[in-house]
Amino acid sequence: MNLAELTTCMEDMGEKKFRAKQVFEWLHVHKAASYDEMQNIPKSLKQKMMDQGTITILEKEDLQISREDGTRKYLFKLEDGNMVESVLMRYSFGNSVCISSQVGCRMGCRFCASTLDGLLRSLTPAEMLDQIYRIERDINERVNHVVVMGTGEPMDNYDNIVKFIRLLTDENGANLSQRNLTVSTCGIVPRIRQLAEEHLQITLAISLHAPNQAKRLELMPVANKYEIHEVIDACKYYFDTTGRRITFEYSLVGGVNDSEEDARELSSLIKVLPCHINLIPVNPIKERNYVESSHKVVLAFKEKLEKYGINVTIRREMGRDIDGACGQLRRRHMKGEL
Ligand code: SAH
């Protein structure tokens, strides 16, 4: 519930309006894990709230900590027994958390482990928020950046994602700056346009992964539905409407999309709009035989893009030793390998 909904709820229960703000603070500022923690709330109200429903609290099922860089990968159990992954990355500029938006995924990207078993269900706004809140409580530090780049396609869970964004950035609650929030999509065109209309200040990331329609189709079935130029047009619309520069993600797959010709074609495709491109050497999963591009090839690709005037960074890889890539930890759990 947002604050307005919670206020109505309090009034319906015969309580004073200000109780809504108090409870909202317990949930979203202090990240309370139970009604018991809510010290300034009368027992009678706590009981009423308990009768109405429980607080969504995720259970820590597993935690892997990278010896290389301190990255922490959490496996959380939901109330219905399903599992989702979230990752905490520690950077010099602060703590960044990558959350999941669905249990599984139905987009079918060829290199991704999250989609191998399809979609089970979408997450509620509370389940997305609580991935961040439980991590904050676990490390006793604030999370300053959030990326929706875990398992799932956020634009396939549109209403819940927008509600989640508004709750996480509510000044009465967790108060994360919208500029510190990135939502990544494989390119669901009508939803990108709809998101532009929400006039949020978040960063939109697009998983592009190919310089043209034919190559994109080989890697991403979603390209059957939304052609690459339609995606670029929707990005232009997003920039024109919000003023926010687009981030493109490009996973380099050895021998598939990493040639100098690919770099040239990619630059002419995206230079029509203010953007930034993030190169990610593909993280090979054992179910597919894709290989990552060599470091030399990654550097050559980057230099080529720069020559064409594109703003480019190579994603720092973190947590390689702990199944850092989308869906790997959850999958190993499901298969009983852990
Ligand atoms: N469904 C959304 C968000 C989740 S995936 C999207 O497609 O953008 C987050 C990013 O990781 C996407 O760019 C995805 O294509 C990429 N990704 C998934 N598996 C990967 C792997 N094994 N190696 C490198 N990148 C991967």
Side-chain angles (χ1 to χ4, degrees):
M1 277 186 255
N2 59 34
L3 187 53
E5 290 164 338
L6 195 57
T7 307
T8 310
C9 178
M10 288 296 157
E11 286 174 326
D12 289 350
M13 292 192 292
E15 296 286 337
K16 296 252 162 44
K17 267 188 180 174
F18 76 93
R19 292 292 182 202
K21 198 139 186 260
Q22 287 180 325
V23 172
F24 198 79
E25 264 182 34
W26 278 112
L27 294 173
H28 302 281
V29 179
H30 306 296
K31 282 94 187 186
S34 71
Y35 292 115
D36 289 341
E37 288 181 37
M38 302 183 182
Q39 286 157 11
N40 56 1
I41 304 294
K43 252 200 167 129
S44 58
L45 174 53
K46 285 183 195 169
Q47 190 55 52
K48 278 190 216 171
M49 289 194 289
M50 259 182 262
D51 295 343
Q52 293 265 327
T54 51
I55 311 176
T56 298
I57 302 293
L58 308 189
E59 235 178 86
K60 189 166 74 178
E61 178 76 13
D62 192 6
L63 168 62
Q64 296 193 351
I65 304 173
S66 166
R67 270 182 227 110
E68 290 172 14
D69 52 39
T71 298
R72 294 163 78 94
K73 184 141 194 172
Y74 291 81
L75 188 72
F76 286 118
K77 194 168 175 181
L78 309 173
E79 271 158 14
D80 63 359
N82 278 310
M83 312 265 193
V84 290
E85 295 176 19
S86 326
V87 187
L88 167 77
M89 290 152 291
R90 293 167 182 276
Y91 293 104
S92 54
F93 56 79
N95 292 320
S96 181
V97 164
C98 174
I99 65 153
S100 295
S101 57
Q102 295 181 313
V103 183
C105 182
R106 58 177 179 148
M107 295 299 132
C109 298
R110 301 287 300 155
F111 44 80
C112 181
S114 294
T115 197
L116 291 167
D117 293 320
L119 173 71
L120 285 174
R121 71 168 173 89
S122 284
L123 297 187
T124 64
E127 288 167 334
M128 291 186 261
L129 283 172
D130 207 50
Q131 295 173 55
I132 303 157
Y133 294 178
R134 278 327 105 208
I135 291 177
E136 286 191 324
R137 286 283 287 246
D138 197 47
I139 61 172
N140 217 355
E141 286 173 35
R142 255 199 83 123
V143 166
N144 327 83
H145 291 259
V146 172
V147 296
V148 186
M149 287 192 186
T151 293
E153 168 49 49
M155 294 297 107
D156 191 33
N157 185 16
Y158 186 86
D159 292 343
N160 285 342
I161 271 288
V162 171
K163 188 156 191 191
F164 156 78
I165 295 169
R166 296 199 193 283
L167 280 166
L168 183 65
T169 60
D170 191 316
E171 58 184 10
N172 295 299
N175 196 19
L176 188 96
S177 161
Q178 288 193 355
R179 289 168 179 269
N180 291 356
L181 177 58
T182 298
V183 174
S184 178
T185 174
C186 63
I188 301 188
V189 168
R191 294 290 158 264
I192 295 172
R193 290 180 175 270
Q194 192 179 350
L195 190 66
E197 300 293 341
E198 310 277 351
H199 296 282
L200 300 166
Q201 283 298 296
I202 61 167
T203 299
L204 180 66
I206 305 285
S207 300
L208 197 59
H209 305 324
N212 58 44
Q213 172 66 5
K215 288 204 175 189
R216 197 161 193 263
L217 258 179
E218 277 176 37
L219 294 171
M220 304 176 73
V222 69
N224 280 303
K225 197 147 184 208
Y226 305 111
E227 208 265 341
I228 198 165
H229 287 100
E230 286 179 68
V231 176
I232 301 294
D233 283 348
C235 290
K236 265 190 234 157
Y237 182 74
Y238 190 89
F239 174 76
D240 289 344
T241 313
T242 64
R244 299 290 292 158
R245 193 175 70 154
I246 302 289
T247 294
F248 288 109
E249 289 153 278
Y250 195 99
S251 294
L252 286 157
V253 188
V256 174
N257 62 2
D258 63 349
S259 73
E260 298 210 353
E261 174 56 21
D262 291 329
R264 193 198 54 76
E265 206 179 348
L266 176 63
S267 60
S268 57
L269 178 74
I270 63 173
K271 74 173 175 224
V272 293
L273 78 163
C275 65
H276 169 260
I277 190 154
N278 218 326
L279 300 176
I280 317 159
V282 83
N283 197 341
I285 58 171
K286 67 172 193 297
E287 291 81 359
R288 304 266 187 256
N289 45 17
Y290 289 120
V291 293
E292 62 191 299
S293 308
S294 71
H295 192 57
K296 212 176 112 201
V297 168
V298 176
L299 280 181
F301 200 89
K302 174 174 185 268
E303 277 163 23
K304 197 87 183 170
L305 287 176
E306 281 171 342
K307 212 181 100 194
Y308 291 114
I310 306 287
N311 194 313
V312 44
T313 45
I314 299 176
R315 168 89 49 91
R316 208 181 123 204
E317 294 171 60
M318 298 176 90
R320 276 246 162 168
D321 55 332
I322 53 162
D323 293 324
C326 295
Q328 288 181 322
L329 177 60
R330 170 172 169 263
R331 198 171 160 74
R332 282 181 58 198
H333 246 266
M334 297 302 173
K335 298 260 174 274
E337 291 175 20
L338 289 176

